[in-house]
Amino acid sequence: MVYDENNIFAKILRKEIPCDKVYEDEFSLFFNDINPQAKIHVLGIPKFPCTTFSNFLKNADNKNIISFFKSVQLVIKDLEIENSGYRLITNSGENGGQEVPHFHIHILAGEKIGSLR
Ligand code: 5GP
């Protein structure tokens, strides 16, 4: 999958489209999902241009990869959902139901998340 510079998250990263920011650092941006599927629904994206989870792990450097996942944990702590629980999801490609082709992690929490099926 070739990276589409005009995908919606690339536009958010370039600040061409606003987002409801939760956390940002050198490598990552976290913001509220526009169509939340739970009381808390945050999306986390690396600033590195990558299409999927696998594409991110293959192409980003280790510093970036470690920083991104540490930021996921930081946001979980900031949202105070570490003890009550949460679900992390990353949809990849066609069969995974990925709509936006920039790798992202969904953080769902704030209530009991239903079963996957
Ligand atoms: P995917 O299906 O690719 O895993 O998830 C894409 C997510 O991005 C969806 O949950 C959708 O609601 C969210 N989304 C799509 N467009 C926008 C947008 O412009 N702003 C925000 N904050 N979220 C968006």
Side-chain angles (χ1 to χ4, degrees):
M1 203 194 295
V2 177
Y3 185 74
D4 171 12
E5 293 286 349
N6 283 320
N7 78 75
I8 207 107
F9 295 167
K11 289 181 180 175
I12 286 175
L13 284 172
R14 290 196 298 268
K15 301 193 189 336
E16 292 166 13
I17 290 177
C19 73
D20 183 11
K21 187 162 76 179
V22 172
Y23 173 78
E24 181 172 18
D25 63 24
E26 189 187 345
F27 295 113
S28 315
L29 175 67
F30 290 75
F31 50 93
N32 286 312
D33 196 293
I34 207 165
N35 182 21
Q37 301 299 308
K39 281 187 185 150
I40 294 174
H41 188 170
V42 171
L43 299 171
I45 62 175
K47 292 183 174 177
F48 184 81
C50 51
T51 53
T52 62
F53 171 79
S54 302
N55 186 250
F56 177 54
L57 288 202
K58 255 186 249 168
N59 295 325
D61 63 31
N62 285 351
K63 194 173 161 203
N64 192 338
I65 292 167
I66 290 167
S67 173
F68 176 72
F69 286 103
K70 293 249 184 210
S71 299
V72 173
Q73 169 58 9
L74 200 99
V75 168
I76 286 166
K77 275 203 91 172
D78 285 353
L79 293 170
E80 298 181 341
I81 56 173
E82 191 170 3
N83 292 332
S84 52
Y86 52 85
R87 182 172 297 164
L88 301 180
I89 297 175
T90 180
N91 299 319
S92 272
E94 198 179 334
N95 283 357
Q98 183 177 8
E99 282 171 18
V100 180
H102 180 113
F103 164 56
H104 50 281
I105 276 195
H106 298 254
I107 304 172
L108 295 153
E111 61 185 309
K112 225 178 185 63
I113 311 299
S115 78
L116 285 176
R117 289 172 191 277

